[in-house]
Amino acid sequence: MRIREWNDLLADVTDRSVEPGSWRAVAGDRAGGIGEDLYLAHPDAGVYLLKTYAKNPYQVDGYGARVARRIDDEIDDYLPADDPGGRFAVQTPPEDESHAETVTNRLQTVIETHADAPTTPQDFFDDVMDAVESPAFGPMDYDQFDRPDELDELSDTFEDEEDLLDAELDDLIETDDVDRGFM
């Protein structure tokens, strides 16, 4: 397992040549301190664990690692199904002004099309993600005030990896001289 800064790990996720809509995520409060835990998983890319905290309202710091090369049956049971009630997406900015204009036109077309036709929220979300060329999106179980049960189960499954990343994040928090999140 190679521990890396969280944003470098997300860059790897966005650079993967896998089906963008097949990602799934589980996230919530960190069990042993300030911050949040996030598991990102894809059948062809494996499982990633990110531990982050908000140093201030404008800066997020943290670490992450790829903790599994594939999703086995045990891990799959803890990941959200197609319709958990929540969604997530990872986005990369447009390359230049021309690309931004192209993406904007596609997005406008999607919105107009869905406004004129009966559609489901899932279909609308998927079409928007395709229009903005999101490299990773899908269903997500998230609790902004606590931890979903599935997050605890994943933490138990990857206990050694959790311990290593927790130690790295605790060192970072101590180095940053932040002993609690901002209010």
Side-chain angles (χ1 to χ4, degrees), residues 26-29 39 77-79 141-143 146-157:
V26 177
D29 282 347
Y39 279 89
D77 290 342
Y78 306 133
L79 298 170
D141 284 334
Y142 175 71
D143 189 334
D146 199 10
R147 292 173 62 86
D149 292 338
E150 295 80 6
L151 187 56
D152 286 331
E153 296 296 337
L154 286 165
S155 294
D156 290 343
T157 301

Short mmCIF file of all heavy atoms in Angstrom, two decimals, residues 26-29 39 77-79 141-143 146-157:
data_model
loop_
_atom_site.label_atom_id
_atom_site.label_comp_id
_atom_site.label_asym_id
_atom_site.label_seq_id
_atom_site.Cartn_x
_atom_site.Cartn_y
_atom_site.Cartn_z
N VAL A 26 -18.75 5.33 -0.19
CA VAL A 26 -19.30 5.36 1.16
C VAL A 26 -18.45 6.34 1.94
O VAL A 26 -17.22 6.28 1.89
CB VAL A 26 -19.24 3.97 1.84
CG1 VAL A 26 -19.76 4.04 3.26
CG2 VAL A 26 -20.01 2.93 1.04
N ALA A 27 -19.10 7.26 2.67
CA ALA A 27 -18.34 8.27 3.41
C ALA A 27 -19.09 8.72 4.65
O ALA A 27 -20.30 8.58 4.75
CB ALA A 27 -18.07 9.48 2.51
N GLY A 28 -18.31 9.28 5.58
CA GLY A 28 -18.88 9.83 6.80
C GLY A 28 -17.78 10.31 7.71
O GLY A 28 -16.59 10.36 7.32
N ASP A 29 -18.14 10.66 8.93
CA ASP A 29 -17.18 11.14 9.90
C ASP A 29 -16.09 10.10 10.16
O ASP A 29 -16.35 8.90 10.13
CB ASP A 29 -17.86 11.46 11.23
CG ASP A 29 -18.60 12.78 11.21
OD1 ASP A 29 -18.39 13.56 10.27
OD2 ASP A 29 -19.39 13.02 12.14
N TYR A 39 -14.51 5.94 1.06
CA TYR A 39 -14.14 4.78 0.26
C TYR A 39 -14.72 4.97 -1.13
O TYR A 39 -15.93 5.20 -1.27
CB TYR A 39 -14.69 3.48 0.85
CG TYR A 39 -13.87 2.94 2.00
CD1 TYR A 39 -14.13 3.32 3.31
CD2 TYR A 39 -12.84 2.03 1.77
CE1 TYR A 39 -13.39 2.82 4.36
CE2 TYR A 39 -12.09 1.52 2.81
CZ TYR A 39 -12.37 1.92 4.11
OH TYR A 39 -11.63 1.42 5.15
N ASP A 77 -20.83 -6.11 -0.63
CA ASP A 77 -22.01 -6.02 0.25
C ASP A 77 -22.08 -4.68 0.98
O ASP A 77 -23.16 -4.26 1.39
CB ASP A 77 -21.99 -7.15 1.28
CG ASP A 77 -22.27 -8.51 0.66
OD1 ASP A 77 -22.81 -8.55 -0.47
OD2 ASP A 77 -21.94 -9.53 1.30
N TYR A 78 -20.96 -4.01 1.17
CA TYR A 78 -20.93 -2.75 1.91
C TYR A 78 -21.04 -1.52 1.02
O TYR A 78 -21.14 -0.40 1.52
CB TYR A 78 -19.65 -2.65 2.74
CG TYR A 78 -19.43 -3.84 3.64
CD1 TYR A 78 -18.21 -4.47 3.70
CD2 TYR A 78 -20.46 -4.34 4.44
CE1 TYR A 78 -18.00 -5.57 4.52
CE2 TYR A 78 -20.27 -5.43 5.25
CZ TYR A 78 -19.03 -6.04 5.29
OH TYR A 78 -18.83 -7.13 6.10
N LEU A 79 -21.02 -1.72 -0.27
CA LEU A 79 -21.10 -0.59 -1.20
C LEU A 79 -22.55 -0.36 -1.62
O LEU A 79 -23.33 -1.31 -1.68
CB LEU A 79 -20.22 -0.87 -2.42
CG LEU A 79 -18.73 -1.02 -2.11
CD1 LEU A 79 -17.99 -1.53 -3.32
CD2 LEU A 79 -18.15 0.29 -1.63
N ASP A 141 -23.37 6.29 -0.28
CA ASP A 141 -23.93 6.32 1.07
C ASP A 141 -23.09 7.32 1.84
O ASP A 141 -21.87 7.16 1.94
CB ASP A 141 -23.84 4.95 1.75
CG ASP A 141 -24.87 3.98 1.24
OD1 ASP A 141 -25.93 4.44 0.77
OD2 ASP A 141 -24.62 2.77 1.31
N TYR A 142 -23.75 8.35 2.38
CA TYR A 142 -23.02 9.41 3.08
C TYR A 142 -23.83 9.89 4.26
O TYR A 142 -25.05 10.04 4.16
CB TYR A 142 -22.75 10.59 2.13
CG TYR A 142 -22.09 11.77 2.81
CD1 TYR A 142 -20.78 11.71 3.24
CD2 TYR A 142 -22.80 12.94 3.03
CE1 TYR A 142 -20.18 12.78 3.87
CE2 TYR A 142 -22.21 14.03 3.66
CZ TYR A 142 -20.90 13.94 4.07
OH TYR A 142 -20.30 15.00 4.69
N ASP A 143 -23.15 10.13 5.36
CA ASP A 143 -23.79 10.70 6.53
C ASP A 143 -22.90 11.85 7.00
O ASP A 143 -21.78 11.63 7.44
CB ASP A 143 -23.94 9.66 7.63
CG ASP A 143 -24.79 10.14 8.79
OD1 ASP A 143 -24.85 11.38 9.02
OD2 ASP A 143 -25.37 9.30 9.48
N ASP A 146 -22.50 11.60 11.07
CA ASP A 146 -22.09 10.36 11.74
C ASP A 146 -21.38 9.46 10.73
O ASP A 146 -20.78 9.95 9.78
CB ASP A 146 -23.33 9.67 12.32
CG ASP A 146 -22.99 8.66 13.40
OD1 ASP A 146 -21.83 8.61 13.84
OD2 ASP A 146 -23.90 7.91 13.81
N ARG A 147 -21.46 8.17 10.93
CA ARG A 147 -20.86 7.19 10.03
C ARG A 147 -21.91 6.18 9.61
O ARG A 147 -22.57 5.60 10.47
CB ARG A 147 -19.72 6.44 10.73
CG ARG A 147 -18.52 7.28 11.04
CD ARG A 147 -17.52 6.52 11.88
NE ARG A 147 -16.98 5.33 11.25
CZ ARG A 147 -15.94 5.31 10.43
NH1 ARG A 147 -15.33 6.42 10.12
NH2 ARG A 147 -15.51 4.18 9.92
N PRO A 148 -22.07 5.96 8.31
CA PRO A 148 -22.96 4.87 7.89
C PRO A 148 -22.42 3.53 8.40
O PRO A 148 -21.21 3.36 8.55
CB PRO A 148 -22.90 4.92 6.36
CG PRO A 148 -22.31 6.23 6.01
CD PRO A 148 -21.48 6.65 7.18
N ASP A 149 -23.31 2.59 8.67
CA ASP A 149 -22.89 1.26 9.14
C ASP A 149 -21.91 0.62 8.16
O ASP A 149 -20.96 -0.05 8.56
CB ASP A 149 -24.10 0.35 9.35
CG ASP A 149 -24.97 0.80 10.50
OD1 ASP A 149 -24.47 1.52 11.40
OD2 ASP A 149 -26.17 0.43 10.52
N GLU A 150 -22.14 0.84 6.86
CA GLU A 150 -21.26 0.26 5.85
C GLU A 150 -19.84 0.80 5.95
O GLU A 150 -18.88 0.08 5.67
CB GLU A 150 -21.82 0.54 4.44
CG GLU A 150 -23.15 -0.12 4.15
CD GLU A 150 -24.34 0.63 4.73
OE1 GLU A 150 -24.17 1.73 5.28
OE2 GLU A 150 -25.46 0.08 4.64
N LEU A 151 -19.70 2.02 6.38
CA LEU A 151 -18.36 2.61 6.56
C LEU A 151 -17.63 1.90 7.69
O LEU A 151 -16.43 1.61 7.58
CB LEU A 151 -18.48 4.11 6.83
CG LEU A 151 -17.17 4.90 6.89
CD1 LEU A 151 -16.36 4.73 5.62
CD2 LEU A 151 -17.47 6.38 7.12
N ASP A 152 -18.34 1.60 8.76
CA ASP A 152 -17.72 0.85 9.86
C ASP A 152 -17.32 -0.55 9.41
O ASP A 152 -16.26 -1.05 9.78
CB ASP A 152 -18.67 0.77 11.06
CG ASP A 152 -18.77 2.09 11.80
OD1 ASP A 152 -17.79 2.86 11.79
OD2 ASP A 152 -19.84 2.35 12.39
N GLU A 153 -18.16 -1.18 8.60
CA GLU A 153 -17.84 -2.53 8.11
C GLU A 153 -16.61 -2.50 7.20
O GLU A 153 -15.74 -3.37 7.29
CB GLU A 153 -19.04 -3.12 7.36
CG GLU A 153 -20.27 -3.34 8.23
CD GLU A 153 -20.08 -4.35 9.33
OE1 GLU A 153 -19.19 -5.23 9.23
OE2 GLU A 153 -20.82 -4.27 10.33
N LEU A 154 -16.53 -1.51 6.32
CA LEU A 154 -15.35 -1.37 5.46
C LEU A 154 -14.10 -1.09 6.30
O LEU A 154 -13.02 -1.61 6.03
CB LEU A 154 -15.56 -0.28 4.42
CG LEU A 154 -16.48 -0.64 3.27
CD1 LEU A 154 -16.90 0.61 2.49
CD2 LEU A 154 -15.82 -1.65 2.34
N SER A 155 -14.25 -0.27 7.34
CA SER A 155 -13.13 0.02 8.23
C SER A 155 -12.63 -1.23 8.92
O SER A 155 -11.42 -1.41 9.09
CB SER A 155 -13.53 1.07 9.28
OG SER A 155 -13.81 2.29 8.68
N ASP A 156 -13.54 -2.10 9.32
CA ASP A 156 -13.13 -3.37 9.93
C ASP A 156 -12.43 -4.27 8.91
O ASP A 156 -11.46 -4.95 9.24
CB ASP A 156 -14.35 -4.11 10.51
CG ASP A 156 -14.92 -3.42 11.74
OD1 ASP A 156 -14.22 -2.58 12.34
OD2 ASP A 156 -16.09 -3.73 12.10
N THR A 157 -12.91 -4.26 7.68
CA THR A 157 -12.31 -5.08 6.62
C THR A 157 -10.89 -4.63 6.32
O THR A 157 -10.01 -5.45 6.08
CB THR A 157 -13.17 -5.01 5.34
OG1 THR A 157 -14.49 -5.47 5.64
CG2 THR A 157 -12.57 -5.84 4.22
#
